[in-house]
Amino acid sequence: MINFNCQNLTQLKEKISSSNYTFDKPKEYKIPRGIITASGTVDRLRDSYVSIKMLRDAGCRLPIELFYADEKEITKSQFGIFNELNVNCINIQSHCPFEAYDGRNFSIKAIAVYLSKFKELIWMDSDVIPLVNFEKLFNNRQYINYGYFFNNDLWSFKKLETVFTDKIQKLIQILKDDEKYTILPGSPELDSGLFLLNRQKLPFKFFDILLLLNTNNHLIYNKFCYGDKDTFQIAIRMIFDNFYYNLLQPSVIGIKANEFLCGNGTILRHDYNNIAVHMTLRSISELKKMDIF
């Protein structure tokens, strides 16, 4: 029985620092490349269907895994429309050690990365709108060199008090037991709506830490970072000396009116090409808070 629950940061630090793995290491990756996503509820299923259909229309033929939290989120009668698009729907509670786990939160992303059968994978949020065939993204030089590629979010560390400016650095200092550890001011937070991972190129310790951070989200989310997004760079920074950001900042889709921006989403870019829109901005934000654009 895998015990991944932690009551406090001290217990989490002990598990992360251990030379042993908390989670079982996968035996093999059966499929070379694919796309994974997660969905649940009627609205999100609609989003997922539209995104996947647009991806297929762009020419992408990679197999797709769609993960969901429990049998109440997706009924078997709904599998058909996804099967027609070569999508395999996977209930995380059908896999150890998540049989009784409530995955109706951001942690399902880390669990999907762990359970996937793909050696190389692209994660796509349900509210990501593809603009190109995602198969081309595997040619990204940064991904080939380091085994991962993440897009930047709009926000930067140590710039705005309205976001998690210094808290991620503080968490890493606690977990590394290094009070002098710093993140360069101005470094962007991550957008985890679309990213690439080569699971054979990254050590399994990365995935173990990622799972520990997200399955213990009561210690992390809204305390040190917003949801799962920066748990990926935390896991990488716990292992490697450097974290490599996308050199391109995202753009914003919206309407500027007086001193406000009615924002709808961000444009994500790889190799100087627009590749997707992430529909994350659904409210009116003050322009003065967005001085990093």
Side-chain angles (χ1 to χ4, degrees), residues 47 175 291:
D47 289 348
L175 297 179
D291 61 331

Side-chain angles (χ1 to χ4, degrees), residues 102-118:
D102 181 4
R104 294 194 180 200
N105 55 60
F106 292 115
S107 67
I108 195 170
K109 191 176 298 186
I111 294 170
V113 167
Y114 172 65
L115 293 177
S116 176
K117 293 182 174 63
F118 305 138

Side-chain angles (χ1 to χ4, degrees), residues 11-256:
Q11 291 182 3
L12 180 61
K13 177 182 175 181
E14 290 174 354
K15 287 185 180 292
I16 286 176
S17 302
S18 173
S19 58
N20 298 319
Y21 300 131
T22 297
F23 292 85
D24 293 333
K25 191 174 182 179
K27 295 180 180 179
E28 61 178 337
Y29 304 123
K30 298 180 180 179
I31 305 173
R33 286 178 172 176
I35 293 172
I36 63 174
T37 187
S39 196
T41 73
V42 173
D43 288 341
R44 287 304 184 194
L45 282 174
R46 290 194 189 105
D47 289 348
S48 291
Y49 180 80
V50 170
S51 295
I52 293 169
K53 182 65 167 61
M54 293 181 69
L55 191 59
R56 292 300 190 218
D57 290 344
C60 181
R61 296 293 173 258
L62 292 172
I64 297 175
E65 295 173 333
L66 187 154
F67 290 84
Y68 60 101
D70 52 59
E71 61 182 9
K72 294 180 180 179
E73 280 207 315
I74 301 180
T75 64
K76 291 183 179 180
S77 63
Q78 294 170 320
F79 288 173
I81 61 172
F82 289 102
N83 290 339
E84 292 175 359
L85 297 174
N86 190 21
V87 177
N88 181 24
C89 299
I90 302 170
N91 182 349
I92 68 165
Q93 290 189 337
S94 64
H95 293 270
C96 178
F98 308 106
E99 294 91 342
Y101 181 79
D102 181 4
R104 294 194 180 200
N105 55 60
F106 292 115
S107 67
I108 195 170
K109 191 176 298 186
I111 294 170
V113 167
Y114 172 65
L115 293 177
S116 176
K117 293 182 174 63
F118 305 138
K119 181 179 74 173
E120 296 182 78
L121 59 84
I122 297 172
W123 170 271
M124 179 178 73
D125 271 4
S126 61
D127 58 356
V128 165
I129 298 175
L131 302 178
V132 299
N133 181 346
F134 282 177
E135 294 180 55
K136 300 177 181 179
L137 304 187
F138 288 109
N139 297 325
N140 181 278
R141 182 55 54 185
Q142 187 172 324
Y143 167 73
I144 293 171
N145 288 341
Y146 306 116
Y148 65 86
F149 187 94
F150 290 89
N151 291 287
N152 304 332
D153 206 340
L154 299 173
W155 318 110
S156 293
F157 293 113
K158 301 185 179 181
K159 273 212 164 189
L160 306 172
E161 293 304 320
T162 56
V163 291
F164 297 91
T165 54
D166 297 323
K167 294 181 180 180
I168 293 175
Q169 176 177 292
K170 178 69 173 178
L171 178 60
I172 297 174
Q173 288 175 344
I174 293 171
L175 297 179
K176 275 182 171 284
D177 198 19
D178 182 0
E179 294 182 358
K180 296 182 179 180
Y181 181 89
T182 59
I183 296 177
L184 185 66
S187 299
E189 296 181 21
L190 291 193
D191 180 314
S192 63
L194 181 70
F195 60 81
L196 289 81
L197 291 176
N198 184 331
R199 299 202 299 171
Q200 278 197 330
K201 195 158 188 175
L202 292 167
F204 182 69
K205 189 65 176 177
F206 160 76
F207 300 96
D208 197 53
I209 295 172
L210 182 68
L211 283 167
L212 285 168
L213 291 170
N214 283 277
T215 54
N216 291 286
N217 53 78
H218 58 287
L219 302 175
I220 306 296
Y221 295 174
N222 294 325
K223 296 178 181 179
F224 294 99
C225 59
Y226 178 71
D228 66 274
K229 65 174 192 170
D230 283 302
T231 61
F232 291 89
Q233 73 160 308
I234 293 171
I236 291 174
R237 288 178 183 276
M238 291 299 297
I239 300 172
F240 299 106
D241 292 332
N242 296 310
F243 178 86
Y244 295 95
Y245 288 101
N246 186 352
L247 297 177
L248 302 176
Q249 286 293 96
S251 303
V252 179
I253 294 176
I255 299 174
K256 179 180 178 182

